[in-house]
Amino acid sequence: MRFDDLLDRLAGPEDVVRDLRDALADRGLLAEPGAPRDDSGDASFDNQWLADPLFADEVSILRTVLEHSPLEVFVKDRESRFIYWSELSRRGQRGMSSEELLGKTDFDILADEALARRHYEEEQEILATGRGFVNREYHVAEGTDGEVCFLSTKVPIRDGDGRIVGLLGINNYVTELRQKDAALRAAEREKAAMLDGITDHVVYMDTQRRIIWANRAYATHMGASLDEISGRACPHRHADMCPECPFDEAVATGSLVSREVYPADGTVWTMNAHPVKDEDGRVVGVVEISRDVTAHHQALAEREQLQAAMQRSQRMESIGVLAGGIAHDLNDIMAPILGYAELMLIDEFGERERRRRLEEIVASARRARELINQVLAFAGREDGRAGHTTAQSVIREAMRLLRTSLPSMIEIREDVDQRCGAVEIGAAEVHQILVGLCAKAAHAMRHGGGVLTVSLSQTTIDETLAEQLGARGPGQYVRLSVTDMGEGSDGPVEAADLGEPLGSLAEDGLSTVRRIAAAHGGGVNAYSHRSEGTIVHVYLPLAPTHDSSAPPTPHEAAPGNERIMVVDDEPAVTLMASEMLSALGYSVAAYNDSREALRVFRRDPESIDLLVTDQAMPHLTGRELVASVHALRHDLPVVVSSGFAFELSEDAEEAGIVSLLPKPYSMAELARVIRASLDGPVAHGSGGGEGWS
């Protein structure tokens, strides 16, 4: 009898028999397919078969295979007594020797009598019925080692006549595997708990956008349970449904992709797509984490609207507070204009005295214009970003106003370096910075009074200070400083502290000052000392150097001989402009009604070389007049003169406006703008027309 005969008698599970057969076939111990079989052996198969010398070699090899098997293998006779046991089986029986195990039953070696009886009854049923079992799971307590888990397979062994003579048992210990399974299940429960605790939407999809798992927030948003959502296709898998979705890019690049998406329902979401890769680096799925930020966007928009409203409110409040000072200064300015103008009506004075009085009138008028510009800036009617500003002049006018509005117990001192260059910021915003700083200083001294000092100097800052300030970089800056004698505190003042309430003059503390400075490449820092007060420094970048020569006088203004039409609904303005232009050599036709001016122009569009018009006029505004004129002659250069000329600056070129001339203007300014507009790349007409002087 050879091994193939023995294996044929094993009625065990097919995979076990097959593995044993394959192992023996590899060693040439099984008959070749179709070879004659040797059936001459003893048909009985009792406890003596292992000692048969005919099978000594084969049994030795079979023992070797079984001894090195990772499974616990044993053979029992019909009385459930051990007649073979593998090495692993002996180790499992607390190191019992072969002699000790031979002929023993489970009752002899197991401490748990109930377990021994269970094994015995199961085995006797197999021997009686011939029906074994495969991978039956057992959980056995083993002393201090805790619970042991194994899968047991037991099948009958038959002799040549088919009689059951014993059974084969195979135990596969899976304690560690079960422990890992339990740990994995616990980890899955923890993961699910953590994911369900996240309010963001978290979903894991394969590369075909099929949902593998998701958290409860995502499932609820999709109107399904966690079990229902698994295996579904993403409802936004079509590009037209969610065109900004980062999924495809994450799969294509293998990198994290983050962006905002805007679904058709009007909401706003931030989405982060994290690619998941296998061991070879291939993308096998994507974890998407989405957050609804609609409310955040709405809050930001509302905050911006509120800030804009606060700025407008602060400007108007400041105007109200400073109205008394403005009225006082305007009266002081208008007094010499009125007085000197009346004196000019008297012809008893010489030429030199009359010229001096005229110069005083011009100087007072210029002061009035600067003051009006400051009022417009506070009212939000001036583009504070336009042009460069010398802070010295702004400080002079602001201090004049503040002295009339601050309590008398606060003394204002100035330490202004008149050599400081211009800064790249509009006068309105410089004024706003200065008033904000002085308002904070006055608030700090509201109880005990003291000295408020305004300083201006030019300085150089290095990279370290520029980084601390968040400024544009190292270089030349103008430093505007305001010092108070309030209670103060010890040490440098943090940026966040610059936004505390500062009284009725403040918009929202010095946050406005910091915002304006940062917008122009500057920065703010502050230092405070207890019982000594606080000093706040505002650094503004120095503007590039320009020609600082004085503006031309009326006698030095560039002359001309072209024909100019002047249109303004204020007769005094048209008369003044006509006289100025005539003095410069131009031919002028002036009209106070824009409709009449358009009728004259229609009769002969080539009769003028330049149109100067006001913006705010009845019947036809300046913009409407320009459109009508250009419909007849598109190449005519146009200058718009207005007290709010900046309001036209954004689309002036599109409207066909060559230059803007803010009111009030001097003769030199008028001459410069007219000459520049005429000398530009435009074609001028020729010929005469009515109304010329």
Side-chain angles (χ1 to χ4, degrees):
M1 182 182 296
R2 296 179 59 82
F3 275 125
D4 47 1
D5 301 301
L6 177 61
L7 291 173
D8 287 343
R9 298 180 183 182
L10 292 179
E14 294 182 1
D15 55 341
V16 175
V17 176
R18 183 176 60 252
D19 291 344
L20 289 173
R21 186 181 296 276
D22 292 342
L24 295 172
D26 291 340
R27 292 166 172 78
L29 300 177
L30 295 183
E32 295 295 333
R37 297 170 61 93
D38 181 8
D39 296 327
S40 60
D42 186 358
S44 63
F45 196 85
D46 54 18
N47 293 346
Q48 302 303 315
W49 69 272
L50 290 173
D52 191 332
L54 295 175
F55 308 121
D57 292 339
E58 289 84 348
V59 170
S60 175
I61 295 174
L62 180 58
R63 285 180 184 274
T64 302
V65 173
L66 295 178
E67 291 295 324
H68 292 83
S69 170
L71 305 176
E72 184 178 271
V73 183
F74 57 88
V75 179
K76 290 184 177 181
D77 62 14
R78 292 187 61 84
E79 302 302 325
S80 293
R81 293 175 298 202
F82 286 97
I83 60 175
Y84 171 77
W85 46 90
S86 65
E87 174 65 22
L88 183 60
S89 177
R90 290 196 297 274
R91 290 201 304 270
Q93 304 305 330
R94 296 179 176 83
M96 296 179 69
S97 66
S98 300
E99 291 76 10
E100 291 173 321
L101 276 173
L102 184 63
K104 294 289 194 299
T105 67
D106 289 322
F107 289 102
D108 299 320
I109 62 175
L110 293 180
D112 189 342
E113 183 177 352
L115 179 61
R117 183 167 300 282
R118 177 182 176 185
H119 286 331
Y120 178 79
E121 291 175 353
E122 289 175 345
E123 293 166 358
Q124 290 304 307
E125 183 178 353
I126 293 172
L127 294 169
T129 64
R131 293 191 299 269
F133 56 79
V134 177
N135 288 340
R136 179 172 294 178
E137 189 162 334
Y138 290 84
H139 295 266
V140 180
E142 282 200 357
T144 58
D145 295 335
E147 187 178 75
V148 174
C149 178
F150 62 91
L151 302 177
S152 181
T153 297
K154 293 180 181 180
V155 295
I157 300 176
R158 301 178 185 271
D159 62 13
D161 296 328
R163 292 176 299 178
I164 297 176
V165 296
L167 63 84
L168 171 70
I170 302 174
N171 291 336
N172 182 13
Y173 284 84
V174 293
T175 304
E176 185 177 352
L177 180 62
R178 290 294 184 264
Q179 290 172 345
K180 291 181 179 178
D181 287 343
L184 180 60
R185 287 193 296 271
E188 287 291 335
R189 289 193 298 271
E190 292 175 0
K191 183 192 77 172
M194 288 187 291
L195 289 174
D196 289 344
I198 297 174
T199 57
D200 292 347
H201 296 177
V202 184
V203 58
Y204 176 40
M205 295 178 284
D206 63 18
T207 55
Q208 303 304 313
R209 291 182 183 258
R210 287 187 296 268
I211 298 173
I212 298 174
W213 52 255
N215 70 340
R216 193 171 302 280
Y218 180 87
T220 301
H221 180 73
M222 293 301 175
S225 67
L226 290 173
D227 292 335
E228 292 171 341
I229 205 72
S230 180
R232 282 188 181 183
C234 175
H236 299 156
R237 61 188 180 279
H238 301 299
D240 56 344
M241 297 183 68
C242 192
E244 304 92 355
C245 180
F247 182 93
D248 291 335
E249 185 175 344
V251 172
T253 63
S255 302
L256 168 66
V257 181
S258 302
R259 63 173 59 124
E260 282 190 349
V261 299
Y262 306 89
D265 60 2
T267 57
V268 183
W269 293 77
T270 58
M271 293 187 67
N272 298 309
H274 303 259
V276 179
K277 302 178 182 179
D278 61 14
E279 295 179 353
D280 297 326
R282 292 188 297 265
V283 176
V284 295
V286 173
V287 175
E288 279 192 350
I289 303 176
S290 308
R291 175 176 296 179
D292 186 349
V293 294
T294 307
H296 177 66
H297 275 242
Q298 292 172 346
L300 288 179
E302 292 172 358
R303 180 180 178 182
E304 291 176 357
Q305 294 173 358
L306 180 61
Q307 287 179 341
M310 290 177 64
Q311 290 175 13
R312 290 191 296 270
S313 175
Q314 189 268 340
R315 290 192 185 104
M316 297 312 298
E317 183 180 1
S318 298
I319 285 293
V321 173
L322 300 178
I326 293 173
H328 177 273
D329 273 23
L330 278 175
N331 284 332
D332 286 347
I333 292 170
M334 296 304 297
I337 294 177
L338 180 61
Y340 282 122
E342 289 177 342
L343 288 173
M344 291 297 298
L345 297 176
I346 304 174
D347 293 329
E348 299 176 0
F349 299 96
E351 180 65 24
R352 178 178 298 177
E353 187 65 17
R354 188 168 66 176
R355 182 176 182 82
R356 182 187 66 79
R357 291 169 179 171
L358 285 173
E359 290 174 349
E360 290 293 337
I361 291 174
V362 171
S364 295
R366 285 176 176 167
R367 281 188 57 208
R369 180 174 66 177
E370 291 178 4
L371 186 60
I372 290 171
N373 286 339
Q374 297 294 339
V375 174
L376 292 175
F378 270 108
R381 302 297 302 276
E382 180 188 83
D383 185 1
R385 297 170 296 177
H388 297 162
T389 302
T390 53
Q392 300 92 307
S393 60
V394 178
I395 292 174
R396 182 175 62 252
E397 294 300 332
M399 293 300 98
R400 190 188 304 273
L401 299 179
L402 286 169
R403 283 190 174 93
T404 63
S405 59
L406 294 181
S408 58
M409 62 180 179
I410 296 178
E411 177 186 352
I412 299 178
R413 296 178 184 175
E414 298 178 35
D415 182 13
V416 178
D417 186 350
Q418 299 296 334
R419 296 169 298 176
C420 290
V423 290
E424 295 180 306
I425 182 174
E429 289 181 309
V430 174
H431 203 294
Q432 194 172 359
I433 288 174
L434 185 58
V435 170
L437 294 176
C438 291
K440 176 175 175 59
H443 181 78
M445 297 186 291
R446 65 190 181 280
H447 299 304
V451 178
L452 187 158
T453 304
V454 176
S455 305
L456 186 73
S457 60
Q458 189 167 315
T459 185
T460 301
I461 69 173
D462 56 21
E463 291 186 3
T464 301
L465 181 55
E467 184 176 353
Q468 293 174 352
L469 294 170
R472 178 182 300 169
Q476 291 287 310
Y477 286 73
V478 170
R479 183 174 65 188
L480 174 62
S481 306
V482 174
T483 306
D484 66 62
M485 297 179 63
E487 295 180 358
S489 60
D490 291 330
V493 180
E494 297 294 334
D497 296 334
L498 297 179
E500 60 187 8
L502 300 173
S504 62
L505 285 179
E507 172 190 355
D508 59 339
L510 291 185
S511 61
T512 299
V513 175
R514 189 172 65 251
R515 174 180 55 79
I516 294 174
H520 295 278
V524 180
N525 63 12
Y527 299 90
S528 186
H529 300 278
R530 193 172 302 280
S531 301
E532 295 184 13
T534 302
I535 180 170
V536 180
H537 300 298
V538 179
Y539 293 83
L540 299 171
L542 191 67
T545 303
H546 295 281
D547 184 7
S548 59
S549 58
T553 65
H555 298 289
E556 298 171 338
N561 57 9
E562 288 85 355
R563 293 144 302 171
I564 300 174
M565 175 181 283
V566 177
V567 184
D568 197 301
D569 63 327
E570 181 60 50
V573 173
T574 54
L575 179 60
M576 178 197 69
S578 297
E579 291 182 358
M580 285 182 174
L581 292 172
S582 296
L584 291 169
Y586 295 103
S587 299
V588 183
Y591 300 91
N592 298 121
D593 189 329
S594 55
R595 295 173 299 178
E596 181 185 358
L598 181 59
R599 284 194 296 270
V600 172
F601 181 80
R602 280 174 175 163
R603 286 196 288 269
D604 187 2
E606 300 295 330
S607 63
I608 67 171
D609 299 314
L610 178 72
L611 170 64
V612 179
T613 179
D614 186 20
Q615 164 59 18
M617 298 182 294
H619 310 305
L620 281 178
T621 66
R623 186 185 293 274
E624 293 169 341
L625 177 60
V626 171
S628 299
V629 166
H630 280 164
L632 300 170
R633 181 180 164 194
H634 66 85
D635 62 345
L636 181 70
V638 175
V639 175
V640 172
S641 177
S642 172
F644 304 117
F646 68 91
E647 293 181 346
L648 301 168
S649 60
E650 291 187 359
D651 57 352
E653 184 176 354
E654 181 180 349
I657 300 171
V658 174
S659 300
L660 298 173
L661 181 61
K663 289 181 180 178
Y665 48 80
S666 67
M667 185 172 178
E669 291 168 341
L670 175 64
R672 178 181 57 80
V673 171
I674 295 297
R675 191 69 262 161
S677 301
L678 287 168
D679 293 341
V682 293
H684 303 153
S686 60
E690 67 174 271
W692 297 96
S693 60

